[in-house]
Amino acid sequence: MAKFRKIGVLASGGDAPGMNAALRAITRKALDEGMEVVGIIGGYSGLINDNIITLTPRSVSNIISRGGTFMYSDRCDEFKTEAGMQKAIATCKKHGIEAIVACGGDGTFRGATDLTNRGIPTVGVPCTIDNDITATDYTIGFDSAMNTALKMIDCLRDTCESHARCNVVEVMGRDCGQIALFTALASGAAAAVIPEMPFDEAGTIERIKAMKADGKRGFLVIVSEGVFTEDGKKYGEVLAKKIDAETGVETKFARFAHVVRGGDPTLRDRMTATQMGVRAVELLLEGKSNIVICEIDGKITDLDINYALIADRNYKNKLKPGDLDKFTAEQVAAMKALAAQRHEEIEAIYKMVYETSK
Ligand code: F6P
């Protein structure tokens, strides 16, 4: 006899390639365990507005290879209010939804905690192209988004080389520079500009001039969307104009924006989504909730959502007074060690971008 008779699945926040593969795995595994499964359409707003469908094995056919989310997604402000939350709980009661698996990023996990605290055990599966959930080494969608960006950057490399130009490319990553950093390294860019590291603008301009004098024709600079000028302008566009004016290399600007959020998930994302989705159901059956599935050192595991959220705030220097109070000294030390590890990982790759572009 399954621990839960009926569970719900949802996708919330920004979509990510691989979300469908996760929804499929959760649905099929839960059905395999003898549970009924319902899909909550449009994320948390689907719970508020009672937009619920029954899922069968066929409902999730032919989606493992598709980007986006077949159950749609939303960023739902009403869910942050107690009134919205109560509507969501009423929908769960009406349909007999006893537990939920929620796919998304940090906003989704805050919602998951609220549901768990109100009696609906919830497990989070990390899906966001940004790879910005500090507690997990990997979030579903990151690899696909980077590969989509990389393909386009490679196209720009061809034409930059032909015309002896520079292309400054802005890629997504709200507060997190990992998409920019990794694609810069993998595309052989001359520079990466990310919020996590100070950027030497004058030094970069001098490097481009020196490389040009050395016979280099094409230049790429990858900038994260989360970098701004002091007066609040998006830095990528500003930098492109400066490189153009100061190096003598004609410079174009490209913003990839949401393009990298779509498209087919890579093998990495399909695999991880399936492994995490299956694990989420297993853990619910073991009686665990208010957890987020994580990949740590290559293993699929889980952490308490509150711990994960505060570890995230600690890394991003967004701690609020009292945030650390409910954690033990060991937990706080572990959060600090994790933040230091993440900084080291970023710094090592950042250094490599400059060491390998000449
Ligand atoms: O989901 C992450 C993300 O794609 C960020 O990289 C980006 O800043 C943000 O979402 C864009 O959000 P929206 O789709 O709401 O414009």
Side-chain angles (χ1 to χ4, degrees), residues 14 75 128-130 172-174 225 258 261:
R75 301 190 196 276
T128 163
I129 62 163
D130 289 358
M172 272 192 167
R174 195 194 307 270
E225 66 168 343
H258 291 79
R261 279 238 306 255

Side-chain angles (χ1 to χ4, degrees), residues 165-196:
R165 282 180 181 151
C166 173
N167 220 303
V168 176
V169 178
E170 182 196 277
V171 292
M172 272 192 167
R174 195 194 307 270
D175 307 311
C176 173
Q178 288 195 52
I179 298 177
L181 181 63
F182 283 43
T183 55
L185 185 72
S187 65
V193 191
I194 59 173
E196 292 89 339

